[in-house]
Amino acid sequence: MALLKFLLCFLLFPLIFPSSIAGAAPMLPPVKAAYWPSWVLETFPPSAIDTALFTHVYFAFLMPDNRSFAFEFPDTTVAALSQFTTSLTRKNPSVKTLFSIGGGGSDSDLFARIASDTSSRQIFIDSSIKTARKFGFHGVDLDWEFPKDTTEMKYFADLIIQWRKTIDREAKTTSRPPLLLTAAVYYASEFLTYGERRSFPAEAISKSLDWINVMCFDYHGSWDTSATGAHAALFDPHTNLSSHYGLRSWISAGVPRNKMVMGIPLYGKSWTLKDPNVHGVGAPATAVGPGDNGILTYVQVQEFNKRTAATVVYDIRTVSAYSYVESSWVGYDSVQSTTTKVEFAQAIGLRGYFFWALSYDSADWEISTHASNAWVDDRL
Ligand SMILES: *[C@@H]1O[C@H](CO)[C@@H](O)[C@H](O)[C@H]1NC(C)=O
Ligand SMILES: *[C@@H]1O[C@H](CO)[C@@H](O)[C@H](O)[C@H]1NC(C)=O
């Protein structure tokens, strides 16, 4: 009997609670995710995605109907959804597919209306699960940008708690693996709007979501043309506009590191320099530069650098790259900055990284390939 107790306590204990022995979070397979913008369907169909480079691919985006709060799709969307899951899982049965609800330009007030009430939440949640099962997705993602005050942050919490309960119940009754539930969130866990401090519900997030996709980008852009900027700076000693600051805020809010996935942009931001001879990060500028309102995809940055024979610089201070020629200046993530960020994410114990957006990579998947290789396989 004593021997049995000994065995149970000292031999089986590590098997049951491996994390408490190691003093670390349980090892979970890394997340190497990317969003696929569904509006590139014609030029970049799901069949063009290299599924060896990603563990999770997100269909972006869907929105519920603004009156019924359920998902109702035109035939073209139905076709795109089936094409997405069928072609990805056929190519690589181990890749997981999710659809993302919302997006940067979506109706934030609609989310607030849905999330404010138990029964409207349930209609939305049930419809999301039905849609996922119908089209063979492995999960759903909420990209509500952003709950705008303390009340809406509470709605956000209520929504994900109820969603998780419903997902678990559905998995039980159908004997299927539960759907994944993730959310794309702001780079920091709290921010000020009109003097009000609003914080994401860290406890509800930790309990209800598989992980959050932390949007570690867009720190600078066309809204401020006075200076160039590293729009996805890992570090910035002078301001709170850095991924280091944002991730630290999430960690101190209490979200476990292994529930955080770090966003890396596959696009750059451009400015027009005030003085072509002053061209560092933070150099005086007068307007946006080349691209679509100062935005270039990685493949466009490559093309710009080649065509103009631009000078390319790696900025070790912010962990970013920039290139310039005459008064044109572009800040972006290169192979070097991306792999450094991936190594950083792994070193601090995050679950993985994700890209916005996979179709912006070069034709030979330069960034996605180097990122995938930079994550060290540390399985024992
Ligand atoms: C719902 O969406 C339609 C079409 O976009 C729009 O015309 C209408 O005003 C919206 N209704 C509400 C209540 O937001
Ligand atoms: C960053 O600092 C500015 C100025 O102090 C403040 O207005 C803003 O809310 C801060 N942002 C975050 C995410 O902490």
Side-chain angles (χ1 to χ4, degrees):
M1 195 61 198
L3 179 65
L4 184 63
K5 260 190 188 153
F6 172 84
L7 284 173
L8 278 174
C9 290
F10 294 98
L11 299 178
L12 293 181
F13 186 74
L15 296 176
I16 303 165
F17 302 105
S19 61
S20 38
I21 292 296
M27 286 309 274
L28 292 163
V31 169
K32 301 175 176 182
Y35 286 80
W36 175 75
S38 59
W39 53 91
V40 302
L41 179 66
E42 297 295 323
T43 53
F44 204 103
S47 57
I49 299 171
D50 184 345
T51 54
L53 300 173
F54 309 105
T55 59
H56 298 78
V57 185
Y58 289 79
F59 181 108
F61 293 102
L62 296 179
M63 272 306 272
D65 183 82
N66 67 4
R67 281 171 303 266
S68 72
F69 302 151
F71 291 92
E72 298 166 14
F73 306 121
D75 291 349
T76 47
T77 306
V78 168
L81 289 166
S82 327
Q83 194 185 329
F84 182 81
T85 52
T86 315
S87 97
L88 289 185
T89 37
R90 190 182 297 146
K91 264 178 114 165
N92 180 355
S94 67
V95 77
K96 302 279 184 271
T97 55
L98 298 92
F99 62 83
S100 184
I101 305 164
S106 64
D107 183 355
S108 173
D109 290 339
L110 175 57
F111 284 118
R113 276 197 287 140
I114 293 172
S116 66
D117 170 82
T118 312
S119 56
S120 53
R121 285 196 294 269
Q122 201 61 45
I123 292 167
F124 169 75
I125 290 167
D126 288 342
S127 181
S128 77
I129 295 173
K130 199 173 143 214
T131 302
R133 293 306 192 192
K134 180 175 174 194
F135 293 100
F137 283 90
H138 301 92
V140 295
D141 176 59
L142 175 65
D143 188 3
W144 173 0
E145 299 187 22
F146 292 104
K148 70 172 180 292
D149 52 28
T150 310
T151 307
E152 292 192 6
M153 285 298 185
K154 166 80 167 56
Y155 295 161
F156 180 96
D158 295 342
L159 176 62
I160 59 173
I161 291 168
Q162 195 169 328
W163 214 336
R164 167 58 61 194
K165 269 194 196 131
T166 312
I167 283 175
D168 287 347
R169 202 183 315 125
E170 189 266 356
K172 221 170 168 184
T173 49
T174 61
S175 307
R176 303 175 75 165
L179 292 169
L180 293 165
L181 182 62
T182 67
V185 294
Y186 193 57
Y187 88 104
S189 68
E190 57 177 29
F191 41 120
L192 284 174
T193 2
Y194 308 114
E196 187 188 356
R197 184 160 291 285
R198 50 181 170 155
S199 305
F200 277 91
E203 197 188 334
I205 285 173
S206 307
K207 285 191 178 146
S208 307
L209 299 181
D210 287 281
W211 66 79
I212 47 175
N213 287 338
V214 185
M215 292 190 268
C216 296
F217 38 70
D218 292 338
Y219 307 147
H220 303 272
S222 58
W223 55 91
D224 181 5
T225 54
S226 69
T228 65
H231 87 89
L234 184 54
F235 302 108
D236 181 345
H238 306 298
T239 75
N240 56 18
L241 294 171
S242 74
S243 307
H244 178 256
Y245 172 91
L247 293 167
R248 202 177 48 188
S249 76
W250 279 107
I251 292 167
S252 43
V255 176
R257 294 171 189 231
N258 67 359
K259 290 215 165 192
M260 288 163 47
V261 169
M262 179 187 189
I264 303 176
L266 276 167
Y267 60 94
K269 299 266 180 103
S270 71
W271 281 268
T272 300
L273 295 168
K274 191 170 183 191
D275 175 353
N277 297 314
V278 183
H279 42 60
V281 172
T286 56
V288 294
D292 178 9
N293 193 28
I295 297 173
L296 295 108
T297 64
Y298 179 69
V299 64
Q300 289 169 335
V301 174
Q302 291 296 83
E303 190 273 327
F304 169 83
N305 289 351
K306 208 173 264 173
R307 177 169 49 81
T308 63
T311 305
V312 176
V313 180
Y314 180 68
D315 186 56
I316 197 162
R317 198 177 48 93
T318 54
V319 184
S320 72
Y322 63 88
S323 64
Y324 61 93
V325 58
E326 293 163 6
S327 64
S328 294
W329 191 99
V330 185
Y332 61 100
D333 274 284
S334 61
V335 167
Q336 192 175 358
S337 71
T338 302
T339 54
T340 306
K341 286 177 175 185
V342 169
E343 287 160 3
F344 175 86
Q346 185 171 18
I348 67 167
L350 305 190
R351 179 74 192 275
Y353 61 86
F354 79 89
F355 287 114
W356 177 267
L358 60 75
S359 53
Y360 302 166
D361 202 350
S362 62
D364 61 353
W365 299 96
E366 188 181 17
I367 299 281
S368 310
T369 305
H370 280 93
S372 183
N373 294 339
W375 189 280
V376 179
D377 185 349
D378 56 3
R379 281 171 301 178
L380 296 174

